Amino acid sequence: MRAEVLRIGEVARRTGLSVHTLRLYERAGLLAGEVLRDETGRRVYSTWDVEWLGNCVKFRASGMPLATISRLARLVREGSGNEAERLEVLREHQRHITAQLSQLHDCLDLINSKVTAYERHLAANGTGEPWQQQPRPGAVTSTP
């Protein structure tokens, strides 16, 4: 069975990356395998390359820096024996994402409480600003 050979335009279509970005990724060392060339010198990719690039898209979407993806790709290119180092790279990014998710959950909790308060305010035909601080009982107010 012959492996599928893909041209750069097809890889761009499959991954959602531009041709320019694919070339940049190659120059930056983000590919886990060597980009081969056909007899005319044009880049040819394998389905494994497309799968790896799909991982790169998700790594970037998660905020992984290009330098970290490059480091991981280099480790994969080097072959077996460095799996512990690969795991640590991924665990470090996992910790980063977990912290981001925690912060986002806190933000979402705040937004959810604000949405609920505005919904209640509007459902009760509230007037005035719903977040205006109400005077505390017994507090002395001064006039400007």
Side-chain angles (χ1 to χ4, degrees):
M1 184 171 170
R2 196 170 158 196
E4 186 177 12
V5 174
L6 304 164
R7 304 250 180 248
I8 196 167
E10 177 62 17
V11 173
R13 188 186 67 72
R14 289 187 185 193
T15 61
L17 297 169
S18 69
V19 168
H20 173 76
T21 299
L22 288 169
R23 290 180 182 132
L24 175 109
Y25 276 23
E26 180 184 355
R27 284 191 306 273
L30 303 185
L31 291 153
E34 179 186 353
V35 176
L36 302 176
R37 307 271 178 164
D38 66 10
E39 58 280 350
T40 64
R42 292 183 176 152
R43 291 170 178 83
V44 291
Y45 298 85
S46 68
T47 52
W48 188 86
D49 293 325
V50 172
E51 185 178 327
W52 175 260
L53 286 163
N55 290 340
C56 290
V57 168
K58 289 182 181 177
F59 291 151
R60 288 297 295 146
S62 71
M64 185 181 280
L66 291 177
T68 303
I69 298 171
S70 178
R71 179 178 173 207
L72 189 58
R74 179 184 48 80
L75 291 168
V76 171
R77 283 191 305 271
E78 289 174 359
S80 64
N82 60 20
E83 290 83 358
E85 192 175 347
R86 293 182 209 179
L87 177 61
E88 187 49 39
V89 168
L90 293 169
R91 279 187 174 156
E92 184 178 322
H93 192 63
Q94 182 183 46
R95 287 188 291 269
H96 174 74
I97 291 173
T98 300
Q100 280 184 313
L101 285 172
S102 177
Q103 184 179 18
L104 284 172
H105 281 293
D106 287 346
C107 294
L108 183 59
D109 288 345
L110 171 68
I111 291 168
N112 286 340
S113 71
K114 299 286 186 190
V115 166
T116 300
Y118 274 105
E119 288 172 342
R120 285 184 187 144
H121 177 76
L122 292 171
N125 293 321
T127 59
E129 180 61 39
W131 298 111
Q132 188 174 22
Q133 195 171 24
Q134 300 299 316
R136 285 180 253 137
V140 177
T141 58
S142 62
T143 37

